[in-house]
Amino acid sequence: MHFHFLIEDPSGKELIEKIMGKIENDNQQVTHQCIGYHGLGGFTKKNTVKETKDGKLLNDLATVLRGLDKYLQINICKE
């Protein structure tokens, strides 16, 4: 089982990394990916590159989810 985490701040990312590290040591079938951001931000109005690339979670959310969707479609099709 694989988990993707979108974390609002660096300290939250560090916490999730430590917790997931312990879980992965106990269960080799569990993996994770943690993506940290620099604050929460806000939803964008136009979703332009200039508006989204400031490292804030909500600003980048639409772009990240589109990329994750493409990634999962490619990897699921390979199985």
Side-chain angles (χ1 to χ4, degrees), residues 4 7 13 16 18 23 31 36 48 52 60 64 71 73 76:
H4 282 269
I7 309 296
K13 180 180 178 185
I16 296 295
K18 287 185 179 191
I23 292 171
T31 60
T48 62
T52 60
D60 296 346
V64 169
Y71 170 80
Q73 286 177 7
I76 290 173

Side-chain angles (χ1 to χ4, degrees), residues 24-77:
E24 288 176 358
N25 286 338
D26 293 341
N27 187 346
Q28 298 299 318
Q29 295 178 339
V30 174
T31 60
H32 78 286
Q33 180 180 5
C34 226
I35 301 171
Y37 291 87
H38 303 290
L40 187 58
F43 290 111
T44 60
K45 297 187 188 307
K46 297 178 184 175
N47 201 26
T48 62
V49 173
K50 184 177 180 182
E51 225 179 11
T52 60
K53 291 296 178 187
D54 66 354
K56 305 249 186 236
L57 176 58
L58 289 179
N59 295 26
D60 296 346
L61 191 58
T63 305
V64 169
L65 291 177
R66 275 195 301 273
L68 182 59
D69 181 50
K70 289 179 183 177
Y71 170 80
L72 291 174
Q73 286 177 7
I74 291 169
N75 288 323
I76 290 173
C77 291

